[in-house]
mmCIF file with all atom_site columns, all heavy atoms in Angstrom:
data_model
loop_
_atom_site.group_PDB
_atom_site.id
_atom_site.type_symbol
_atom_site.label_atom_id
_atom_site.label_alt_id
_atom_site.label_comp_id
_atom_site.label_asym_id
_atom_site.label_entity_id
_atom_site.label_seq_id
_atom_site.pdbx_PDB_ins_code
_atom_site.Cartn_x
_atom_site.Cartn_y
_atom_site.Cartn_z
_atom_site.occupancy
_atom_site.B_iso_or_equiv
_atom_site.pdbx_formal_charge
_atom_site.auth_seq_id
_atom_site.auth_comp_id
_atom_site.auth_asym_id
_atom_site.auth_atom_id
_atom_site.pdbx_PDB_model_num
ATOM 1   N N   . ILE A 1 116 ? -15.762 -1.679 11.150 1.00 0.00 ? 116 ILE A N   1
ATOM 2   C CA  . ILE A 1 116 ? -15.090 -0.382 11.132 1.00 0.00 ? 116 ILE A CA  1
ATOM 3   C C   . ILE A 1 116 ? -15.512 0.480  12.328 1.00 0.00 ? 116 ILE A C   1
ATOM 4   O O   . ILE A 1 116 ? -14.667 1.132  12.961 1.00 0.00 ? 116 ILE A O   1
ATOM 5   C CB  . ILE A 1 116 ? -15.393 0.358  9.800  1.00 0.00 ? 116 ILE A CB  1
ATOM 6   C CG1 . ILE A 1 116 ? -14.983 -0.511 8.593  1.00 0.00 ? 116 ILE A CG1 1
ATOM 7   C CG2 . ILE A 1 116 ? -14.685 1.705  9.747  1.00 0.00 ? 116 ILE A CG2 1
ATOM 8   C CD1 . ILE A 1 116 ? -13.522 -0.874 8.513  1.00 0.00 ? 116 ILE A CD1 1
ATOM 9   N N   . HIS A 1 117 ? -16.801 0.464  12.660 1.00 0.00 ? 117 HIS A N   1
ATOM 10  C CA  . HIS A 1 117 ? -17.286 1.352  13.736 1.00 0.00 ? 117 HIS A CA  1
ATOM 11  C C   . HIS A 1 117 ? -16.661 1.012  15.089 1.00 0.00 ? 117 HIS A C   1
ATOM 12  O O   . HIS A 1 117 ? -16.496 1.895  15.936 1.00 0.00 ? 117 HIS A O   1
ATOM 13  C CB  . HIS A 1 117 ? -18.816 1.305  13.823 1.00 0.00 ? 117 HIS A CB  1
ATOM 14  C CG  . HIS A 1 117 ? -19.367 -0.011 14.263 1.00 0.00 ? 117 HIS A CG  1
ATOM 15  N ND1 . HIS A 1 117 ? -19.576 -1.066 13.384 1.00 0.00 ? 117 HIS A ND1 1
ATOM 16  C CD2 . HIS A 1 117 ? -19.744 -0.469 15.488 1.00 0.00 ? 117 HIS A CD2 1
ATOM 17  C CE1 . HIS A 1 117 ? -20.061 -2.093 14.053 1.00 0.00 ? 117 HIS A CE1 1
ATOM 18  N NE2 . HIS A 1 117 ? -20.168 -1.770 15.329 1.00 0.00 ? 117 HIS A NE2 1
ATOM 19  N N   . ALA A 1 120 ? -13.423 2.942  15.889 1.00 0.00 ? 120 ALA A N   1
ATOM 20  C CA  . ALA A 1 120 ? -13.518 4.381  16.148 1.00 0.00 ? 120 ALA A CA  1
ATOM 21  C C   . ALA A 1 120 ? -14.082 4.697  17.530 1.00 0.00 ? 120 ALA A C   1
ATOM 22  O O   . ALA A 1 120 ? -14.121 5.862  17.936 1.00 0.00 ? 120 ALA A O   1
ATOM 23  C CB  . ALA A 1 120 ? -14.385 5.031  15.074 1.00 0.00 ? 120 ALA A CB  1
ATOM 24  N N   . GLU A 1 121 ? -14.508 3.663  18.265 1.00 0.00 ? 121 GLU A N   1
ATOM 25  C CA  . GLU A 1 121 ? -15.102 3.889  19.585 1.00 0.00 ? 121 GLU A CA  1
ATOM 26  C C   . GLU A 1 121 ? -14.099 4.570  20.529 1.00 0.00 ? 121 GLU A C   1
ATOM 27  O O   . GLU A 1 121 ? -12.941 4.157  20.611 1.00 0.00 ? 121 GLU A O   1
ATOM 28  C CB  . GLU A 1 121 ? -15.560 2.560  20.188 1.00 0.00 ? 121 GLU A CB  1
ATOM 29  C CG  . GLU A 1 121 ? -16.849 2.040  19.578 1.00 0.00 ? 121 GLU A CG  1
ATOM 30  C CD  . GLU A 1 121 ? -17.270 0.699  20.179 1.00 0.00 ? 121 GLU A CD  1
ATOM 31  O OE1 . GLU A 1 121 ? -16.510 0.132  20.994 1.00 0.00 ? 121 GLU A OE1 1
ATOM 32  O OE2 . GLU A 1 121 ? -18.361 0.221  19.821 1.00 0.00 ? 121 GLU A OE2 1
ATOM 33  N N   . GLY A 1 122 ? -14.564 5.607  21.207 1.00 0.00 ? 122 GLY A N   1
ATOM 34  C CA  . GLY A 1 122 ? -13.720 6.289  22.186 1.00 0.00 ? 122 GLY A CA  1
ATOM 35  C C   . GLY A 1 122 ? -12.797 7.335  21.597 1.00 0.00 ? 122 GLY A C   1
ATOM 36  O O   . GLY A 1 122 ? -12.049 7.999  22.328 1.00 0.00 ? 122 GLY A O   1
ATOM 37  N N   . ARG A 1 123 ? -12.817 7.509  20.289 1.00 0.00 ? 123 ARG A N   1
ATOM 38  C CA  . ARG A 1 123 ? -11.945 8.493  19.651 1.00 0.00 ? 123 ARG A CA  1
ATOM 39  C C   . ARG A 1 123 ? -12.602 9.863  19.610 1.00 0.00 ? 123 ARG A C   1
ATOM 40  O O   . ARG A 1 123 ? -13.812 9.987  19.795 1.00 0.00 ? 123 ARG A O   1
ATOM 41  C CB  . ARG A 1 123 ? -11.576 8.051  18.233 1.00 0.00 ? 123 ARG A CB  1
ATOM 42  C CG  . ARG A 1 123 ? -10.876 6.696  18.124 1.00 0.00 ? 123 ARG A CG  1
ATOM 43  C CD  . ARG A 1 123 ? -9.371  6.758  18.402 1.00 0.00 ? 123 ARG A CD  1
ATOM 44  N NE  . ARG A 1 123 ? -8.997  7.349  19.675 1.00 0.00 ? 123 ARG A NE  1
ATOM 45  C CZ  . ARG A 1 123 ? -8.994  6.719  20.851 1.00 0.00 ? 123 ARG A CZ  1
ATOM 46  N NH1 . ARG A 1 123 ? -9.329  5.450  20.922 1.00 0.00 ? 123 ARG A NH1 1
ATOM 47  N NH2 . ARG A 1 123 ? -8.649  7.350  21.949 1.00 0.00 ? 123 ARG A NH2 1
ATOM 48  N N   . SER A 1 124 ? -11.803 10.904 19.353 1.00 0.00 ? 124 SER A N   1
ATOM 49  C CA  . SER A 1 124 ? -12.317 12.279 19.328 1.00 0.00 ? 124 SER A CA  1
ATOM 50  C C   . SER A 1 124 ? -13.329 12.471 18.215 1.00 0.00 ? 124 SER A C   1
ATOM 51  O O   . SER A 1 124 ? -13.374 11.695 17.247 1.00 0.00 ? 124 SER A O   1
ATOM 52  C CB  . SER A 1 124 ? -11.153 13.257 19.133 1.00 0.00 ? 124 SER A CB  1
ATOM 53  O OG  . SER A 1 124 ? -10.608 13.101 17.829 1.00 0.00 ? 124 SER A OG  1
ATOM 54  N N   . GLU A 1 125 ? -14.121 13.516 18.331 1.00 0.00 ? 125 GLU A N   1
ATOM 55  C CA  . GLU A 1 125 ? -15.158 13.795 17.333 1.00 0.00 ? 125 GLU A CA  1
ATOM 56  C C   . GLU A 1 125 ? -14.542 14.040 15.948 1.00 0.00 ? 125 GLU A C   1
ATOM 57  O O   . GLU A 1 125 ? -15.032 13.546 14.942 1.00 0.00 ? 125 GLU A O   1
ATOM 58  C CB  . GLU A 1 125 ? -15.971 15.024 17.766 1.00 0.00 ? 125 GLU A CB  1
ATOM 59  C CG  . GLU A 1 125 ? -17.200 15.270 16.898 1.00 0.00 ? 125 GLU A CG  1
ATOM 60  C CD  . GLU A 1 125 ? -17.955 16.526 17.312 1.00 0.00 ? 125 GLU A CD  1
ATOM 61  O OE1 . GLU A 1 125 ? -17.847 16.929 18.496 1.00 0.00 ? 125 GLU A OE1 1
ATOM 62  O OE2 . GLU A 1 125 ? -18.638 17.097 16.445 1.00 0.00 ? 125 GLU A OE2 1
ATOM 63  N N   . ASP A 1 126 ? -13.424 14.795 15.918 1.00 0.00 ? 126 ASP A N   1
ATOM 64  C CA  . ASP A 1 126 ? -12.782 15.084 14.624 1.00 0.00 ? 126 ASP A CA  1
ATOM 65  C C   . ASP A 1 126 ? -12.209 13.816 14.006 1.00 0.00 ? 126 ASP A C   1
ATOM 66  O O   . ASP A 1 126 ? -12.260 13.630 12.792 1.00 0.00 ? 126 ASP A O   1
ATOM 67  C CB  . ASP A 1 126 ? -11.665 16.118 14.800 1.00 0.00 ? 126 ASP A CB  1
ATOM 68  C CG  . ASP A 1 126 ? -11.106 16.572 13.457 1.00 0.00 ? 126 ASP A CG  1
ATOM 69  O OD1 . ASP A 1 126 ? -11.786 17.362 12.757 1.00 0.00 ? 126 ASP A OD1 1
ATOM 70  O OD2 . ASP A 1 126 ? -10.012 16.098 13.072 1.00 0.00 ? 126 ASP A OD2 1
ATOM 71  N N   . PHE A 1 127 ? -11.664 12.921 14.848 1.00 0.00 ? 127 PHE A N   1
ATOM 72  C CA  . PHE A 1 127 ? -11.158 11.627 14.361 1.00 0.00 ? 127 PHE A CA  1
ATOM 73  C C   . PHE A 1 127 ? -12.306 10.849 13.718 1.00 0.00 ? 127 PHE A C   1
ATOM 74  O O   . PHE A 1 127 ? -12.194 10.364 12.581 1.00 0.00 ? 127 PHE A O   1
ATOM 75  C CB  . PHE A 1 127 ? -10.567 10.840 15.540 1.00 0.00 ? 127 PHE A CB  1
ATOM 76  C CG  . PHE A 1 127 ? -10.009 9.475  15.180 1.00 0.00 ? 127 PHE A CG  1
ATOM 77  C CD1 . PHE A 1 127 ? -8.641  9.274  15.108 1.00 0.00 ? 127 PHE A CD1 1
ATOM 78  C CD2 . PHE A 1 127 ? -10.853 8.393  14.922 1.00 0.00 ? 127 PHE A CD2 1
ATOM 79  C CE1 . PHE A 1 127 ? -8.114  8.012  14.792 1.00 0.00 ? 127 PHE A CE1 1
ATOM 80  C CE2 . PHE A 1 127 ? -10.344 7.139  14.602 1.00 0.00 ? 127 PHE A CE2 1
ATOM 81  C CZ  . PHE A 1 127 ? -8.968  6.947  14.534 1.00 0.00 ? 127 PHE A CZ  1
ATOM 82  N N   . GLN A 1 128 ? -13.428 10.723 14.438 1.00 0.00 ? 128 GLN A N   1
ATOM 83  C CA  . GLN A 1 128 ? -14.551 9.922  13.959 1.00 0.00 ? 128 GLN A CA  1
ATOM 84  C C   . GLN A 1 128 ? -15.129 10.459 12.647 1.00 0.00 ? 128 GLN A C   1
ATOM 85  O O   . GLN A 1 128 ? -15.513 9.695  11.776 1.00 0.00 ? 128 GLN A O   1
ATOM 86  C CB  . GLN A 1 128 ? -15.637 9.839  15.028 1.00 0.00 ? 128 GLN A CB  1
ATOM 87  C CG  . GLN A 1 128 ? -15.168 9.080  16.266 1.00 0.00 ? 128 GLN A CG  1
ATOM 88  C CD  . GLN A 1 128 ? -16.301 8.633  17.157 1.00 0.00 ? 128 GLN A CD  1
ATOM 89  O OE1 . GLN A 1 128 ? -17.416 8.450  16.712 1.00 0.00 ? 128 GLN A OE1 1
ATOM 90  N NE2 . GLN A 1 128 ? -16.003 8.425  18.436 1.00 0.00 ? 128 GLN A NE2 1
ATOM 91  N N   . LYS A 1 129 ? -15.143 11.773 12.521 1.00 0.00 ? 129 LYS A N   1
ATOM 92  C CA  . LYS A 1 129 ? -15.680 12.406 11.314 1.00 0.00 ? 129 LYS A CA  1
ATOM 93  C C   . LYS A 1 129 ? -14.809 12.087 10.093 1.00 0.00 ? 129 LYS A C   1
ATOM 94  O O   . LYS A 1 129 ? -15.292 11.978 8.971  1.00 0.00 ? 129 LYS A O   1
ATOM 95  C CB  . LYS A 1 129 ? -15.731 13.924 11.546 1.00 0.00 ? 129 LYS A CB  1
ATOM 96  C CG  . LYS A 1 129 ? -16.506 14.710 10.516 1.00 0.00 ? 129 LYS A CG  1
ATOM 97  C CD  . LYS A 1 129 ? -16.685 16.154 10.949 1.00 0.00 ? 129 LYS A CD  1
ATOM 98  C CE  . LYS A 1 129 ? -15.366 16.918 10.857 1.00 0.00 ? 129 LYS A CE  1
ATOM 99  N NZ  . LYS A 1 129 ? -15.516 18.356 11.147 1.00 0.00 ? 129 LYS A NZ  1
ATOM 100 N N   . ASN A 1 130 ? -13.500 11.945 10.330 1.00 0.00 ? 130 ASN A N   1
ATOM 101 C CA  . ASN A 1 130 ? -12.534 11.725 9.242  1.00 0.00 ? 130 ASN A CA  1
ATOM 102 C C   . ASN A 1 130 ? -12.063 10.279 9.147  1.00 0.00 ? 130 ASN A C   1
ATOM 103 O O   . ASN A 1 130 ? -11.094 9.991  8.449  1.00 0.00 ? 130 ASN A O   1
ATOM 104 C CB  . ASN A 1 130 ? -11.323 12.656 9.436  1.00 0.00 ? 130 ASN A CB  1
ATOM 105 C CG  . ASN A 1 130 ? -11.682 14.106 9.215  1.00 0.00 ? 130 ASN A CG  1
ATOM 106 O OD1 . ASN A 1 130 ? -11.830 14.545 8.087  1.00 0.00 ? 130 ASN A OD1 1
ATOM 107 N ND2 . ASN A 1 130 ? -11.830 14.860 10.304 1.00 0.00 ? 130 ASN A ND2 1
ATOM 108 N N   . PHE A 1 131 ? -12.760 9.367  9.848  1.00 0.00 ? 131 PHE A N   1
ATOM 109 C CA  . PHE A 1 131 ? -12.339 7.951  9.892  1.00 0.00 ? 131 PHE A CA  1
ATOM 110 C C   . PHE A 1 131 ? -13.231 7.091  9.003  1.00 0.00 ? 131 PHE A C   1
ATOM 111 O O   . PHE A 1 131 ? -14.441 7.295  8.917  1.00 0.00 ? 131 PHE A O   1
ATOM 112 C CB  . PHE A 1 131 ? -12.402 7.443  11.331 1.00 0.00 ? 131 PHE A CB  1
ATOM 113 C CG  . PHE A 1 131 ? -12.001 6.005  11.463 1.00 0.00 ? 131 PHE A CG  1
ATOM 114 C CD1 . PHE A 1 131 ? -10.691 5.611  11.260 1.00 0.00 ? 131 PHE A CD1 1
ATOM 115 C CD2 . PHE A 1 131 ? -12.947 5.030  11.772 1.00 0.00 ? 131 PHE A CD2 1
ATOM 116 C CE1 . PHE A 1 131 ? -10.316 4.273  11.374 1.00 0.00 ? 131 PHE A CE1 1
ATOM 117 C CE2 . PHE A 1 131 ? -12.585 3.695  11.887 1.00 0.00 ? 131 PHE A CE2 1
ATOM 118 C CZ  . PHE A 1 131 ? -11.267 3.316  11.686 1.00 0.00 ? 131 PHE A CZ  1
ATOM 119 N N   . CYS A 1 132 ? -12.612 6.102  8.371  1.00 0.00 ? 132 CYS A N   1
ATOM 120 C CA  . CYS A 1 132 ? -13.318 5.277  7.387  1.00 0.00 ? 132 CYS A CA  1
ATOM 121 C C   . CYS A 1 132 ? -12.538 3.987  7.177  1.00 0.00 ? 132 CYS A C   1
ATOM 122 O O   . CYS A 1 132 ? -11.362 3.897  7.532  1.00 0.00 ? 132 CYS A O   1
ATOM 123 C CB  . CYS A 1 132 ? -13.374 6.066  6.070  1.00 0.00 ? 132 CYS A CB  1
ATOM 124 S SG  . CYS A 1 132 ? -14.566 5.475  4.880  1.00 0.00 ? 132 CYS A SG  1
ATOM 125 N N   . PRO A 1 150 ? -17.666 3.499  5.243  1.00 0.00 ? 150 PRO A N   1
ATOM 126 C CA  . PRO A 1 150 ? -17.841 4.541  6.256  1.00 0.00 ? 150 PRO A CA  1
ATOM 127 C C   . PRO A 1 150 ? -18.532 4.001  7.500  1.00 0.00 ? 150 PRO A C   1
ATOM 128 O O   . PRO A 1 150 ? -19.172 2.946  7.469  1.00 0.00 ? 150 PRO A O   1
ATOM 129 C CB  . PRO A 1 150 ? -18.726 5.572  5.548  1.00 0.00 ? 150 PRO A CB  1
ATOM 130 C CG  . PRO A 1 150 ? -19.408 4.842  4.440  1.00 0.00 ? 150 PRO A CG  1
ATOM 131 C CD  . PRO A 1 150 ? -18.610 3.613  4.122  1.00 0.00 ? 150 PRO A CD  1
ATOM 132 N N   . THR A 1 151 ? -18.415 4.747  8.596  1.00 0.00 ? 151 THR A N   1
ATOM 133 C CA  . THR A 1 151 ? -19.201 4.477  9.802  1.00 0.00 ? 151 THR A CA  1
ATOM 134 C C   . THR A 1 151 ? -20.343 5.505  9.812  1.00 0.00 ? 151 THR A C   1
ATOM 135 O O   . THR A 1 151 ? -20.332 6.442  9.009  1.00 0.00 ? 151 THR A O   1
ATOM 136 C CB  . THR A 1 151 ? -18.361 4.660  11.087 1.00 0.00 ? 151 THR A CB  1
ATOM 137 O OG1 . THR A 1 151 ? -18.193 6.065  11.315 1.00 0.00 ? 151 THR A OG1 1
ATOM 138 C CG2 . THR A 1 151 ? -16.997 4.002  10.975 1.00 0.00 ? 151 THR A CG2 1
ATOM 139 N N   . PRO A 1 152 ? -21.312 5.374  10.720 1.00 0.00 ? 152 PRO A N   1
ATOM 140 C CA  . PRO A 1 152 ? -22.374 6.385  10.786 1.00 0.00 ? 152 PRO A CA  1
ATOM 141 C C   . PRO A 1 152 ? -21.849 7.791  11.065 1.00 0.00 ? 152 PRO A C   1
ATOM 142 O O   . PRO A 1 152 ? -22.512 8.786  10.771 1.00 0.00 ? 152 PRO A O   1
ATOM 143 C CB  . PRO A 1 152 ? -23.255 5.896  11.945 1.00 0.00 ? 152 PRO A CB  1
ATOM 144 C CG  . PRO A 1 152 ? -22.993 4.428  12.033 1.00 0.00 ? 152 PRO A CG  1
ATOM 145 C CD  . PRO A 1 152 ? -21.560 4.255  11.647 1.00 0.00 ? 152 PRO A CD  1
ATOM 146 N N   . ASN A 1 153 ? -20.620 7.904  11.631 1.00 0.00 ? 153 ASN A N   1
ATOM 147 C CA  . ASN A 1 153 ? -20.061 9.213  11.975 1.00 0.00 ? 153 ASN A CA  1
ATOM 148 C C   . ASN A 1 153 ? -19.138 9.801  10.911 1.00 0.00 ? 153 ASN A C   1
ATOM 149 O O   . ASN A 1 153 ? -18.688 10.938 11.029 1.00 0.00 ? 153 ASN A O   1
ATOM 150 C CB  . ASN A 1 153 ? -19.287 9.127  13.304 1.00 0.00 ? 153 ASN A CB  1
ATOM 151 C CG  . ASN A 1 153 ? -20.198 8.753  14.459 1.00 0.00 ? 153 ASN A CG  1
ATOM 152 O OD1 . ASN A 1 153 ? -21.323 9.227  14.535 1.00 0.00 ? 153 ASN A OD1 1
ATOM 153 N ND2 . ASN A 1 153 ? -19.725 7.886  15.341 1.00 0.00 ? 153 ASN A ND2 1
ATOM 154 N N   . THR A 1 154 ? -18.816 9.013  9.877  1.00 0.00 ? 154 THR A N   1
ATOM 155 C CA  . THR A 1 154 ? -17.929 9.517  8.822  1.00 0.00 ? 154 THR A CA  1
ATOM 156 C C   . THR A 1 154 ? -18.645 10.609 8.031  1.00 0.00 ? 154 THR A C   1
ATOM 157 O O   . THR A 1 154 ? -19.794 10.416 7.618  1.00 0.00 ? 154 THR A O   1
ATOM 158 C CB  . THR A 1 154 ? -17.520 8.386  7.849  1.00 0.00 ? 154 THR A CB  1
ATOM 159 O OG1 . THR A 1 154 ? -17.053 7.252  8.583  1.00 0.00 ? 154 THR A OG1 1
ATOM 160 C CG2 . THR A 1 154 ? -16.428 8.857  6.896  1.00 0.00 ? 154 THR A CG2 1
ATOM 161 N N   . SER A 1 155 ? -17.975 11.730 7.798  1.00 0.00 ? 155 SER A N   1
ATOM 162 C CA  . SER A 1 155 ? -18.641 12.820 7.064  1.00 0.00 ? 155 SER A CA  1
ATOM 163 C C   . SER A 1 155 ? -18.798 12.446 5.596  1.00 0.00 ? 155 SER A C   1
ATOM 164 O O   . SER A 1 155 ? -17.949 11.727 5.027  1.00 0.00 ? 155 SER A O   1
ATOM 165 C CB  . SER A 1 155 ? -17.846 14.124 7.193  1.00 0.00 ? 155 SER A CB  1
ATOM 166 O OG  . SER A 1 155 ? -16.796 14.173 6.253  1.00 0.00 ? 155 SER A OG  1
ATOM 167 N N   . THR A 1 156 ? -19.867 12.928 4.977  1.00 0.00 ? 156 THR A N   1
ATOM 168 C CA  . THR A 1 156 ? -20.124 12.620 3.560  1.00 0.00 ? 156 THR A CA  1
ATOM 169 C C   . THR A 1 156 ? -19.025 13.197 2.678  1.00 0.00 ? 156 THR A C   1
ATOM 170 O O   . THR A 1 156 ? -18.686 12.622 1.646  1.00 0.00 ? 156 THR A O   1
ATOM 171 C CB  . THR A 1 156 ? -21.492 13.175 3.108  1.00 0.00 ? 156 THR A CB  1
ATOM 172 O OG1 . THR A 1 156 ? -21.565 14.559 3.443  1.00 0.00 ? 156 THR A OG1 1
ATOM 173 C CG2 . THR A 1 156 ? -22.636 12.439 3.764  1.00 0.00 ? 156 THR A CG2 1
ATOM 174 N N   . GLU A 1 157 ? -18.424 14.326 3.093  1.00 0.00 ? 157 GLU A N   1
ATOM 175 C CA  . GLU A 1 157 ? -17.323 14.924 2.307  1.00 0.00 ? 157 GLU A CA  1
ATOM 176 C C   . GLU A 1 157 ? -16.131 13.977 2.253  1.00 0.00 ? 157 GLU A C   1
ATOM 177 O O   . GLU A 1 157 ? -15.483 13.840 1.202  1.00 0.00 ? 157 GLU A O   1
ATOM 178 C CB  . GLU A 1 157 ? -16.868 16.262 2.927  1.00 0.00 ? 157 GLU A CB  1
ATOM 179 C CG  . GLU A 1 157 ? -17.851 17.403 2.794  1.00 0.00 ? 157 GLU A CG  1
ATOM 180 C CD  . GLU A 1 157 ? -18.937 17.400 3.858  1.00 0.00 ? 157 GLU A CD  1
ATOM 181 O OE1 . GLU A 1 157 ? -18.891 16.534 4.778  1.00 0.00 ? 157 GLU A OE1 1
ATOM 182 O OE2 . GLU A 1 157 ? -19.828 18.243 3.778  1.00 0.00 ? 157 GLU A OE2 1
ATOM 183 N N   . VAL A 1 158 ? -15.845 13.317 3.368  1.00 0.00 ? 158 VAL A N   1
ATOM 184 C CA  . VAL A 1 158 ? -14.727 12.370 3.413  1.00 0.00 ? 158 VAL A CA  1
ATOM 185 C C   . VAL A 1 158 ? -15.009 11.167 2.506  1.00 0.00 ? 158 VAL A C   1
ATOM 186 O O   . VAL A 1 158 ? -14.144 10.734 1.740  1.00 0.00 ? 158 VAL A O   1
ATOM 187 C CB  . VAL A 1 158 ? -14.447 11.913 4.865  1.00 0.00 ? 158 VAL A CB  1
ATOM 188 C CG1 . VAL A 1 158 ? -13.520 10.698 4.905  1.00 0.00 ? 158 VAL A CG1 1
ATOM 189 C CG2 . VAL A 1 158 ? -13.829 13.066 5.662  1.00 0.00 ? 158 VAL A CG2 1
ATOM 190 N N   . VAL A 1 159 ? -16.221 10.649 2.571  1.00 0.00 ? 159 VAL A N   1
ATOM 191 C CA  . VAL A 1 159 ? -16.596 9.509  1.729  1.00 0.00 ? 159 VAL A CA  1
ATOM 192 C C   . VAL A 1 159 ? -16.491 9.894  0.248  1.00 0.00 ? 159 VAL A C   1
ATOM 193 O O   . VAL A 1 159 ? -15.891 9.166  -0.552 1.00 0.00 ? 159 VAL A O   1
ATOM 194 C CB  . VAL A 1 159 ? -18.028 9.011  2.055  1.00 0.00 ? 159 VAL A CB  1
ATOM 195 C CG1 . VAL A 1 159 ? -18.427 7.895  1.096  1.00 0.00 ? 159 VAL A CG1 1
ATOM 196 C CG2 . VAL A 1 159 ? -18.114 8.537  3.490  1.00 0.00 ? 159 VAL A CG2 1
#
Side-chain angles (χ1 to χ4, degrees):
I116 304 299
H117 67 276
E121 284 179 355
R123 302 278 55 82
S124 68
E125 188 183 335
D126 188 75
F127 180 105
Q128 294 197 25
K129 191 171 72 175
N130 291 283
F131 179 69
C132 197
T151 75
N153 297 320
T154 310
S155 83
T156 52
E157 290 83 4
V158 167
V159 176

